[in-house]
Amino acid sequence: MTILDLRSDTVTRPSAGMRRAMAEAEVGDDVLDGDPTTRRLEERVADLLEQEAALFFPSGTQANQVGAALHAAAGEELILEGQAHLLHYEMGGLAGLWGIQPHAVTTADGLLTPDLVTAAIRTGRYEPRTAAVAVENTHSAAGGRVMPEATLAAIADVAAGHDLPLHLDGARLWNAAAALGVAPGNLARHATTVMVSFSKGLGCPVGSCLAGSGALMERAWILRKRLGGGMRQSGVLAAAALYALDHHLNGLVEDHANARRLARALEGHPRVAAPVPDSNIVLLDLVGWSAADAVSRLAARGVLLAAYGATRLRAVTHRDVSADAIAAAGATIAQVLA
Ligand SMILES: Cc1ncc(COP(=O)(O)O)c(C=O)c1O
């Protein structure tokens, strides 16, 4: 039986070309005196994101946590959307590592607005200090929702108007840019710090970058080391990311087309509502099925989806699943859940 793994875009395996690039990478000791391939990646990413500097991290979580710690201290608030990755999927790091109080703002669709951010900023002397704002683009839990550049720019203006830094969780910023048909820098330049991942749709085994000003990245270097994120011959991993930027970035539009195909294959289904997504994440709301039951029946037919709540499934398209495979997955899902 062919297995179609749509649980996440993180399941992507390094391609043959990527493995070759990793094997041939020129390396040094990045903690001692620098790794040349890692340096090339950091410079490339800083350029792409229209930021002064960038730093390579083992994971998006660690880069997000360092980004938050650059901007907020214990007892201070970070404004973020109520379903944000920073809040729900980073093991309580904001509170546990730094004592930062998340100020979660509920939205219907994962998209913060300038008005919602303005309303969340605290100004009373008897209230906790608002220290920073975070946005997520694309928004994972909201089904890969894309925040348009104008909204991001307007939120950045609100933050700047209150002297607040803006952190952008751009684990899938590449997808947001591809969906909007703009360069990643058009989005990233509005933020004070930006996290981007290579281990999702770009197909790398591991790796993320945090970007921002040179001064902020010097502080980030210390925090990364404190968290055990100093890596030695990291050029082997950075080479994978450089390869992905050269060879895999353009494929994201195909992942988005596949996600739309999957949602359309389920249109009108009596027991599944799957809105056509902005990017590569399809949410399937079930009628009369529990998510756990649906996941195990689909797995028995070779289609792996993730349970995302009691009656919701998530399917994520990626470079290891072709358009034909998506058509087959759509037909199997429609049949099994009928
Ligand atoms: C929106 C978002 N932010 C951050 C992360 C964390 O990345 P990592 O798994 O590399 O720690 C993820 C991971 O899926 C994510 O979806």
Side-chain angles (χ1 to χ4, degrees):
M1 184 170 61
T2 312
I3 302 292
L4 301 177
D5 193 346
L6 299 172
R7 290 171 301 164
S8 174
D9 45 11
T10 58
V11 304
T12 41
R13 309 288 170 93
S15 59
M18 180 179 283
R19 286 172 191 258
R20 268 195 303 279
M22 295 173 77
E24 289 163 9
E26 187 194 348
V27 295
D29 186 322
D30 198 43
V31 179
L32 272 187
D33 50 11
D35 176 289
T37 306
T38 301
R39 209 60 350 91
R40 272 205 295 131
L41 174 67
E42 290 172 342
E43 283 165 15
R44 172 106 179 255
V45 168
D47 275 356
L48 272 175
L49 301 182
E50 298 188 31
Q51 296 281 348
E52 221 171 82
L55 204 58
F56 189 45
F57 278 75
S59 71
T61 298
Q62 197 180 85
N64 259 350
Q65 288 297 322
V66 167
L70 290 174
H71 304 313
E76 295 182 337
E77 284 198 341
L78 174 66
I79 294 172
L80 37 65
E81 200 279 330
Q83 295 303 317
H85 194 279
L86 263 161
L87 182 60
H88 291 282
Y89 304 105
E90 302 195 4
M91 313 309 283
L94 292 176
L97 293 169
W98 322 112
I100 296 170
Q101 175 156 288
H103 184 145
V105 176
T106 303
T107 70
D109 55 5
L111 297 180
L112 283 175
T113 64
D115 284 350
L116 287 170
V117 172
T118 303
I121 295 171
R122 302 194 196 253
T123 51
R125 60 190 292 231
Y126 46 84
E127 294 177 312
R129 190 180 93 83
T130 300
V133 180
V135 295
E136 187 174 314
N137 201 13
T138 69
H139 192 301
S140 170
R145 277 312 284 261
V146 173
M147 180 180 281
E149 186 187 351
T151 310
L152 198 51
I155 289 174
D157 281 348
V158 167
H162 289 81
D163 264 338
L164 299 173
L166 176 68
H167 175 74
L168 171 56
D169 175 350
R172 295 184 183 79
L173 190 75
W174 317 114
N175 296 82
L180 293 167
V182 301
N186 284 31
L187 303 172
R189 66 182 173 210
H190 298 289
T192 317
T193 50
V194 189
M195 185 279 272
V196 288
S197 286
F198 308 106
S199 56
K200 290 148 190 126
L202 292 191
C204 294
V206 72
S208 289
C209 270
L210 182 70
S213 70
L216 281 174
M217 290 308 104
E218 274 180 35
R219 282 178 53 212
W221 195 94
I222 295 167
L223 294 173
R224 183 185 66 175
K225 181 78 168 73
R226 187 173 292 160
L227 294 177
M231 297 180 285
R232 303 294 178 166
Q233 285 72 45
S234 52
V236 172
L237 300 170
L242 283 165
Y243 184 90
L245 291 174
D246 285 337
H247 300 278
H248 295 177
L249 201 51
N250 291 342
L252 295 177
V253 286
E254 188 51 34
D255 297 346
H256 297 179
N258 281 338
R260 290 193 296 272
R261 276 184 196 113
L262 183 62
R264 292 208 175 101
L266 297 168
E267 244 164 33
H269 194 287
R271 301 184 71 181
V272 187
V276 175
D278 290 349
S279 58
N280 68 329
I281 302 178
V282 185
L283 296 178
L284 292 80
D285 284 311
L286 306 173
V287 181
W289 284 98
S290 78
D293 200 12
V295 162
S296 65
R297 286 187 192 227
L298 287 165
R301 295 282 302 276
V303 177
L304 307 187
L305 302 191
Y308 219 66
T311 58
R312 177 174 273 187
L313 305 181
R314 186 175 93 146
V316 187
T317 58
H318 54 75
R319 51 177 288 102
D320 290 354
V321 179
S322 66
D324 286 349
I326 284 295
T332 303
I333 296 168
Q335 198 184 63
V336 170
L337 299 185

